[in-house]
Amino acid sequence: MDRETMERSNEEWLNGVYEKLLVKMKAECRRVGTDIPYTTGEDGMYHDILETPYGKTPDGEPYLGNWTNGFWPGMLWQMYHATGDEAYKTAAQGVEKRLEVVLEDPEAVGHDLGFMFLQSSVSNYRETGDREARRRALLAAAELTARFNLDGKFIRAWSGPRDSQQGKRMGGGDIRGWMIIDSMMNLPLLYWASQELDDPRFAKIAVSHAKTAQQYIVRPDGSCNHIVAFDPDTGEYINNPGGQGYKQGSSWSRGQSWAVYGVALSYRHTKDPSFLDTAKQCAHYCIANMAVTDWLPMVDYRQPAQPVKYDSTAGMITACGLLEIASHVEENEARFYTEAAYRILRACDAKFANWDPEKDSILTGGTYFYHDPSGENTELPIIYADYFFIEAVLRLRGNELFEW
């Protein structure tokens, strides 16, 4: 297929998907409103997170601090920005008010404050100038900076004692000194706070964390660790627990996607060329691996050939990261990254999309972690697959809301 034909085909696909997206999201907004979804139930519908195990503490208490809870309002703000439909804004603001309780318990929050409050409060503030939204976002940024380890120069991933259940599930060890690649996507909250307050401290912490990730998480071939463990008292490197991938030293695809997009975003906010180089390095690793699997992302790029396990969320995040890189390079190079993003989006649309407006969720095929004996977190609809799919589609159309 020549370039002109390919571009015409991509444009036709994009316009068709956008029309379906308008119908699907309008129906979902009407049904879901200020509920906070994570995945669909057996009925094919979203249920509020507090009605599911994801919205409960280990003691069974209600918990709104789940890291995914900002993606639904993020989707709503994207659609409001694209369409001007007030229903999206009303629902997004309602969810944001529910999330404020998270800021009242510093022990309950982790590194995911960016995921939760960039897509809700910062987006609200950018779109409407709401001062209460600004206040919430600045509180979240302050709590995120409080997680910075001065000796190791990283933002601590999770709260809890050294022998927490989270640590045992992710490979064991003292989680007080753990940093994870996911945190690269939370750094834009700190870049935003520095700009908003004209205070460089937030950005300096973000840059320090990003430099540590470059040194200890990203490998020479562009693959990534998920977790890196440091001594929390001295900052000395210890090891790299396996995390959510196939095994220690493997290449968890969602972690790779966080690296592609997250490091590219640090370039956007700092213009440090090393960040753009690192983002490209990680992007080429992802492209090389997906090019041989029909542009469908495996859960881990080093997983066994059988059983085949997909993760659509990794594909959607990677596509957004490729489009971010494309926005910072010359035209010919940008075309390479944009075309790869199209291939991923179209492959995942063909395999995983459900455009029935009477059912919730757009994409199935999301997998939370590779080893899941219960099977309950394998190849299912996950809210952030839809968020990044929508972001990519709107970005390709030129009418997205920048939420990072």
Side-chain angles (χ1 to χ4, degrees):
M1 184 184 299
D2 61 57
R3 178 176 296 169
E4 183 177 346
T5 302
M6 182 180 298
E7 289 179 352
R8 185 167 58 249
S9 174
N10 284 338
E11 184 177 1
E12 290 173 356
W13 172 84
L14 182 63
N15 291 335
V17 162
Y18 181 66
E19 292 303 316
K20 290 185 284 189
L21 182 62
L22 292 176
V23 175
K24 181 86 174 188
M25 280 301 295
K26 188 168 186 176
E28 283 193 7
C29 181
R30 184 178 62 250
R31 282 192 299 266
V32 179
T34 59
D35 284 354
I36 303 175
Y38 173 79
T39 186
T40 56
E42 293 182 1
D43 57 0
M45 297 299 187
Y46 284 138
H47 299 273
D48 188 72
I49 193 122
L50 292 183
E51 299 173 10
T52 73
Y54 306 101
K56 301 288 193 302
T57 68
D59 297 327
E61 296 297 319
Y63 175 62
L64 281 174
N66 191 290
W67 74 275
T68 64
N69 288 359
F71 289 111
W72 173 242
M75 292 162 61
L76 296 170
W77 282 118
Q78 290 286 4
M79 296 306 297
Y80 172 72
H81 184 81
T83 68
D85 189 331
E86 291 286 322
Y88 293 120
K89 180 176 78 170
T90 299
Q93 290 175 329
V95 175
E96 181 188 342
K97 290 177 182 177
R98 293 186 65 195
L99 293 180
E100 183 167 14
V101 68
V102 175
L103 299 172
E104 299 173 2
D105 186 3
E107 287 187 317
V109 300
H111 70 107
D112 297 309
L113 287 157
F115 284 126
M116 297 184 69
F117 289 95
L118 282 163
Q119 275 62 55
S120 57
S121 296
V122 175
S123 294
N124 185 6
Y125 178 59
R126 283 172 170 159
E127 285 290 277
T128 72
D130 187 308
R131 301 295 290 185
E132 277 297 293
R134 178 180 183 272
R135 179 186 63 80
R136 294 184 188 104
L138 290 174
L139 281 173
E143 291 198 15
L144 186 56
T145 61
R147 306 188 65 77
F148 187 68
N149 184 296
L150 295 173
D151 293 308
K153 299 188 185 317
F154 66 90
I155 294 171
R156 178 182 174 179
W158 296 295
S159 300
R162 69 188 72 200
D163 58 348
S164 73
Q165 289 299 316
Q166 182 87 333
K168 293 175 182 176
R169 187 164 64 85
M170 296 289 190
D174 183 350
I175 70 165
R176 298 175 305 156
W178 281 14
M179 72 174 290
I180 60 175
I181 188 59
D182 318 39
S183 296
M184 291 300 302
M185 295 296 295
N186 292 296
L187 300 185
L189 179 64
L190 303 185
Y191 294 126
W192 169 82
S194 267
Q195 184 177 29
E196 190 65 25
L197 296 174
D198 194 20
D199 184 339
R201 293 176 300 164
F202 298 91
K204 285 182 179 293
I205 286 175
V207 170
S208 291
H209 179 93
K211 292 291 186 180
T212 302
Q214 280 183 305
Q215 181 177 357
Y216 291 101
I217 286 185
V218 179
R219 306 176 186 130
D221 65 353
S223 66
C224 297
N225 297 308
H226 176 200
I227 300 169
V228 173
F230 299 93
D231 185 307
D233 296 311
T234 67
E236 181 182 0
Y237 171 78
I238 299 174
N239 60 15
N240 58 317
Q244 290 171 248
Y246 172 58
K247 66 177 182 178
Q248 185 178 26
S250 66
S251 179
W252 178 50
S253 61
R254 181 146 43 92
Q256 292 293 145
S257 69
W258 295 139
V260 174
Y261 200 3
V263 181
L265 287 168
S266 275
Y267 173 74
R268 170 189 280 264
H269 289 287
T270 67
K271 295 301 182 286
D272 180 335
S274 75
F275 289 141
L276 185 58
D277 290 342
T278 298
K280 289 180 182 181
Q281 184 183 17
C282 297
H284 293 172
Y285 181 87
C286 293
I287 290 170
N289 278 277
M290 277 192 272
V292 297
T293 56
D294 297 323
W295 299 96
L296 295 169
M298 303 294 107
V299 176
D300 192 304
Y301 291 126
R302 295 175 180 172
Q303 70 186 42
Q306 296 294 329
V308 175
K309 292 186 178 184
Y310 296 109
D311 180 17
S312 60
T313 73
M316 298 305 94
I317 301 159
T318 301
C320 287
L322 295 175
L323 295 176
E324 178 65 23
I325 294 173
S327 71
H328 300 298
V329 297
E330 297 297 327
E331 182 178 355
N332 286 339
E333 192 178 1
R335 189 178 292 117
F336 167 77
Y337 293 110
T338 301
E339 180 55 35
Y342 264 116
R343 289 180 182 274
I344 297 166
L345 292 165
R346 294 186 66 170
C348 287
D349 174 38
K351 186 171 182 63
F352 300 119
N354 172 15
W355 290 109
D356 181 357
E358 300 304 314
K359 297 291 184 181
D360 288 329
S361 177
I362 299 169
L363 294 178
T364 61
T367 298
Y368 188 57
F369 50 88
Y370 185 89
H371 295 287
D372 178 26
S374 71
E376 296 176 358
N377 291 279
T378 301
E379 294 190 22
L380 71 161
I382 301 180
I383 191 67
Y384 44 91
D386 286 7
Y387 170 81
F388 287 103
F389 183 73
I390 290 171
E391 182 186 297
V393 168
L394 295 182
R395 185 164 192 162
L396 286 165
R397 287 179 51 83
N399 61 341
E400 87 286 359
L401 170 64
F402 179 72
E403 296 195 325
W404 303 101

